[in-house]
Amino acid sequence: MGRDLHLFPLSVLLLSSLAAATAAKSADEGTIFDLAKSLSNLPSSWGAGSDVCVFDGITCERGGSGRVTIINLRDKGLTGTLPTSLSSLTALKELQLQGNALHGDFPSLAGFTDLTRLVLDGNGFTSLPSDFLKDMPSMQYLSLENLPLKPWAVPDAIVGSSSLETFSASNASIVGAFPAVLANLSSLKSLRLSYNKLTGGLPAGLAELIALENLQLNNQMSDGKLSGSIGVVAAITKLKLLWIQSNKFTGPIPDFSNSQLEVFNVRDNRLTGVLPASLFEIKTLLNASLTNNHFQGPMPNIHNVSVDLVGDTVSRFCLAKPGPCDPLVTTLLEVAAGFGYPAELAETWNGNTPCGNWIGVICSNGNVSIFYLHNRGLSGTISPAIANLTGVGKLDLSDNHLTGVVPDALTTMSNLKLFDVSNNSLNGELPMFKPTVKVLAEGNRFGESGSGSESDSSLSNSEAAQK
């Protein structure tokens, strides 16, 4: 009798577990029948019998709970909507519905902790639930391509999907700044967010995506598009395919020497500067598309790489073939490098003849005599290469956003009569110019080390000249 009492709780526990499993299986069956009622053009097997586990596209766990673990109805020509009861299929590991014509709101799958694969491409879903991607730690493959969704932003909850390897959501109505939260997904190998309405720059955190091999951000449809520098991309050393064409990226192409790039597409942007020779020395590189940018300087020496470089892009180089630029052009481009190769300068600073229409450059007898870039929105630093413009008598960089120090080399410019760097953010010590040079330097932070000192270092003309 005592022995029977001892076993009683265990028996109750087993019966309770069995009842729970039976209830869960029954609920799953009810959900599949709900799904059958809400869809049209289902496979014929969905109308035969009551065992949903034999339905085409349905996989159940065998020898255990019997719960539904996979729904794969891809490319079945289905129409209709998804029932809200779909959220009860919590044992689901894969849900593939791509290539159909389903519409309406996509139901909540929050808490689907076993779900590894969700593919919805090419349907007509108009919204995602507010708790989309919440508590999905097993997610590895997420594809939301070509969906007419209401504008939405990638939720912060995606950070919980720490095993995610593929996130593909091209033409899916994603809006706003680039989702910086994605930088936390260290397992990510493929990221495709093309044809959305993203704006602004690429976050520095992208450099942390050490497994990323495929990055596609091309053809943003927002007014501002994606913009700013692409420097962070060069830090993703496993990257093989980069598609960022048809945006508004600016600045130079960074050094990709440590990359494994195979395909490099940056066409139709506003990139500037000298094309780095290191790009075409990448042994894995097969294709580079560079057309319709504002590149400057020498034509690159290209070997064993298919390169798209046509029309106006080619005409911007110094020469139509590889070779050195005119020395004056080389000097001016070194100056532009200090400013980060700004797009405004790149508009006219191209070709091999700077004494003509180059913004801010006025020549006399083939040498630059006036260098005038007042209030051009310049940032970056003052390059010591300016000192090589020995014929300059007037040098005006006032009312910009320049930082760093004034190079000592500028004091050696023998023809300099006016030096104006007023109203920037320069620091350090202003070098001593000759008494014959009129120096305008007020509105800077001279005397500071860049550490945030509060000293007032504005200098009058006579003080600066005699300092």
Side-chain angles (χ1 to χ4, degrees):
M1 181 71 177
R3 184 180 178 183
D4 293 341
L5 288 173
H6 175 70
L7 293 176
F8 179 74
L10 179 59
S11 301
V12 171
L13 180 62
L14 291 173
L15 290 173
S16 177
S17 298
L18 180 61
T22 302
K25 178 181 179 182
S26 178
D28 283 5
E29 291 174 345
T31 296
I32 298 303
F33 287 126
D34 287 346
L35 185 62
K37 293 175 183 177
S38 63
L39 300 181
S40 300
N41 301 325
L42 282 163
S44 58
S45 60
W46 282 58
S50 59
D51 184 1
V52 301
C53 295
V54 301
F55 289 2
D56 186 22
I58 301 296
T59 300
C60 298
E61 187 180 52
R62 297 297 182 183
S65 67
R67 297 199 65 189
V68 175
T69 57
I70 296 175
I71 298 178
N72 186 350
L73 295 172
R74 60 180 301 172
D75 302 318
K76 298 293 186 183
L78 304 178
T79 60
T81 60
L82 298 180
T84 57
S85 59
L86 200 70
S87 61
S88 68
L89 298 178
T90 53
L92 208 60
K93 295 180 179 179
E94 296 183 18
L95 177 58
Q96 298 193 81
L97 299 173
Q98 65 268 39
N100 291 294
L102 306 178
H103 61 275
D105 299 333
F106 186 77
S108 173
L109 302 182
F112 275 40
T113 56
D114 293 330
L115 192 65
T116 63
R117 191 175 186 91
L118 176 60
V119 189
L120 306 179
D121 305 348
N123 282 285
F125 297 119
T126 52
S127 72
L128 299 173
S130 59
D131 58 4
F132 186 60
L133 302 181
K134 183 179 180 182
D135 297 329
M136 293 186 180
S138 301
M139 183 68 72
Q140 296 177 14
Y141 189 100
L142 175 62
S143 191
L144 312 171
E145 298 268 310
N146 301 312
L147 299 177
L149 298 168
K150 299 173 184 175
W152 65 291
V154 176
D156 289 346
I158 198 172
V159 75
S161 300
S162 57
S163 300
L164 191 63
E165 295 182 354
T166 296
F167 179 31
S168 191
S170 175
N171 190 28
S173 305
I174 302 175
V175 299
F178 185 93
V181 67
L182 297 178
N184 296 290
L185 300 175
S186 58
S187 296
L188 205 58
K189 293 181 179 180
S190 180
L191 176 60
R192 176 175 163 87
L193 299 178
S194 310
Y195 294 96
N196 284 294
K197 293 187 177 181
L198 297 174
T199 59
L202 301 179
L206 282 184
E208 302 300 318
L209 295 181
I210 57 175
L212 194 65
E213 299 178 359
N214 176 8
L215 179 60
Q216 299 181 47
L217 305 174
N218 53 288
N219 296 84
Q220 295 303 315
M221 297 184 288
S222 52
D223 291 339
K225 296 182 175 284
L226 288 171
S227 59
S229 168
I230 65 170
V232 65
V233 180
I236 308 174
T237 56
K238 289 190 177 180
L239 199 61
K240 295 180 180 179
L241 184 147
L242 177 65
W243 280 9
I244 55 173
Q245 67 268 27
S246 299
N247 280 292
K248 293 183 178 179
F249 289 113
T250 55
I253 290 180
D255 182 4
F256 281 94
S257 296
N258 295 322
S259 79
Q260 301 175 32
L261 277 176
E262 297 176 2
V263 179
F264 181 71
N265 193 335
V266 296
R267 66 171 296 152
D268 302 319
N269 278 285
R270 298 177 179 179
L271 297 172
T272 56
V274 177
L275 280 173
S278 59
L279 178 66
F280 305 99
E281 294 170 357
I282 300 173
K283 294 181 180 179
T284 54
L285 189 64
L286 303 173
N287 178 277
S289 187
L290 307 168
T291 291
N292 293 332
N293 282 287
H294 297 157
F295 297 124
Q296 304 155 277
M299 168 78 81
N301 198 357
I302 301 168
H303 297 288
N304 303 318
V305 179
S306 175
V307 176
D308 170 21
L309 256 180
V310 297
D312 290 345
T313 310
V314 172
S315 67
R316 300 180 62 83
F317 295 119
C318 301
L319 303 171
K321 59 182 180 179
C325 300
D326 180 273
L328 185 55
V329 169
T330 298
T331 294
L332 286 167
L333 290 180
E334 289 174 355
V335 173
F339 304 144
Y341 294 111
E344 183 179 7
L345 296 190
E347 292 285 347
T348 60
W349 283 33
N350 58 80
N352 208 29
T353 309
C355 293
N357 66 338
W358 283 35
I359 291 174
V361 177
I362 298 176
C363 294
S364 177
N365 298 320
N367 279 320
V368 180
S369 57
I370 297 176
F371 193 70
Y372 181 81
L373 291 175
H374 161 78
N375 195 26
R376 290 286 182 178
L378 301 178
S379 58
T381 60
I382 299 175
S383 170
I386 291 180
N388 295 325
L389 302 174
T390 55
V392 168
K394 178 181 179 180
L395 174 55
D396 188 348
L397 299 174
S398 59
D399 294 296
N400 285 294
H401 310 287
L402 301 175
T403 57
V405 301
V406 175
D408 290 335
L410 272 57
T411 64
T412 67
M413 299 172 71
S414 56
N415 289 296
L416 192 63
K417 299 295 185 292
L418 173 67
F419 178 69
D420 189 353
V421 289
S422 55
N423 301 319
N424 280 284
S425 296
L426 300 166
N427 56 33
E429 297 294 332
L430 183 67
M432 184 181 295
F433 286 82
K434 300 173 183 177
T436 54
V437 180
K438 183 178 182 180
V439 177
L440 302 176
E442 62 274 9
N444 283 285
R445 302 172 62 187
F446 293 117
E448 301 182 21
S449 64
S451 60
S453 170
E454 297 297 326
S455 61
D456 182 0
S457 55
S458 298
L459 301 175
S460 67
N461 300 350
S462 61
E463 289 173 329
Q466 298 300 323
K467 189 176 186 293

